[in-house]
Amino acid sequence: LGNGTDFGDMIFETYYSAGVSDGTTGFSCGGSRGAAGSYAQINNIQRITIATAGNATDGADLTGSRTACAGWNDATRAVIMGGETGGTRFNSIDYFTMANTSTNATDFGDLTDNISTSPAGAGDATYALLAGGRRDNSSNANGWSQTIDRITIQSTGNATDFGDLQTFKSNLGAASNGTYATFAGGDTNNGSNIRTDQIDLVTVATPGNATDFGNLIQGKEGFVGSTSGAAS
């Protein structure tokens, strides 16, 4: 245990980006550049070598600028799902091979709807899940989503419906141990925009609705980040 130390700097200040890693290299994909609220979307894939402190470099680009998207990966391939540009949501999924750090992302397929506002990405070595966010065709009056989409990481194609979260929510965080995925916090719409402390649980290989795992210490939403160690 101990305090964090300085690792280095990004190429430029970035928020609402998606993070992926193959265990050697870490990638920050897309996001918005500048002060919060400026919405200057970028398509850059910034990368660092995790074991060596230093500044990020610009390895390649997504197929287009996007912010408020989500990422997941297996051992070799990363997928970046959803997002928005200029306030317009889209359903596209990008993918790239993480070892090919100078190769741009290409189109993987489509989500079940246009989704942004920081959905959460999680999964295992076979599947990637995208949960929550806000979607164009939600049954919620303000667009919050409770849907979980699923893709097979090594097989390009469109996402399918996996199941639902316990409630509509966006701006949440996710983590996985390779068997189970958790989706924690976020904001939800029960008459107003409120933070939630709820933690949802799914078994990644088995489609179905999320169940209750427990609660955070307090409700959190916006820029919620999560990660986990390998299953052991």
Side-chain angles (χ1 to χ4, degrees), residues 50 70 104 110 128 146 208 211 220:
I50 298 170
N104 292 336
D110 295 327
Q146 67 179 152
T211 58
K220 299 177 183 292

Side-chain angles (χ1 to χ4, degrees), residues 62-222:
L62 300 172
T63 59
S65 298
R66 64 172 70 192
T67 190
C69 48
W72 190 251
N73 57 270
D74 60 14
T76 59
R77 176 181 287 186
V79 290
I80 309 299
M81 303 170 282
E84 65 179 68
T85 299
T88 300
R89 302 182 188 108
F90 43 83
N91 64 358
S92 62
I93 306 168
D94 283 8
Y95 76 98
F96 62 93
T97 300
M98 290 176 283
N100 297 336
T101 53
S102 61
T103 302
N104 292 336
T106 55
D107 182 63
F108 182 97
D110 295 327
L111 299 169
T112 59
D113 198 357
N114 299 320
I115 304 172
S116 69
T117 318
S118 294
D124 60 16
T126 302
Y127 301 109
L129 306 180
L130 181 78
R134 299 191 195 183
R135 59 174 54 221
D136 283 354
N137 296 295
S138 173
S139 60
N140 180 278
N142 290 311
W144 272 265
S145 177
Q146 67 179 152
T147 303
I148 305 170
D149 280 16
R150 185 171 81 165
I151 58 173
T152 301
I153 299 170
Q154 289 293 328
S155 301
T156 57
N158 295 336
T160 58
D161 182 62
F162 178 91
D164 292 329
L165 298 170
Q166 296 179 81
T167 190
F168 298 91
K169 61 182 73 174
S170 63
N171 289 306
L172 63 164
S176 172
N177 67 355
T179 301
Y180 302 106
T182 56
F183 302 101
D187 55 61
T188 189
N189 181 233
N190 294 327
S192 63
N193 183 8
I194 60 173
R195 296 184 179 97
T196 177
D197 61 3
Q198 191 177 66
I199 305 172
D200 290 21
L201 176 73
V202 297
T203 301
V204 178
T206 306
N209 295 336
T211 58
D212 184 57
F213 180 91
N215 299 103
L216 299 172
I217 297 171
Q218 61 183 27
K220 299 177 183 292
E221 60 92 13

Side-chain angles (χ1 to χ4, degrees), residues 15-16 31-42 65 67-68 84-88 117 223:
Y15 68 105
Y16 272 150
S32 293
R33 181 181 178 186
S38 64
Y39 293 104
Q41 285 82 38
I42 60 174
S65 298
T67 190
E84 65 179 68
T85 299
T88 300
T117 318
F223 307 104

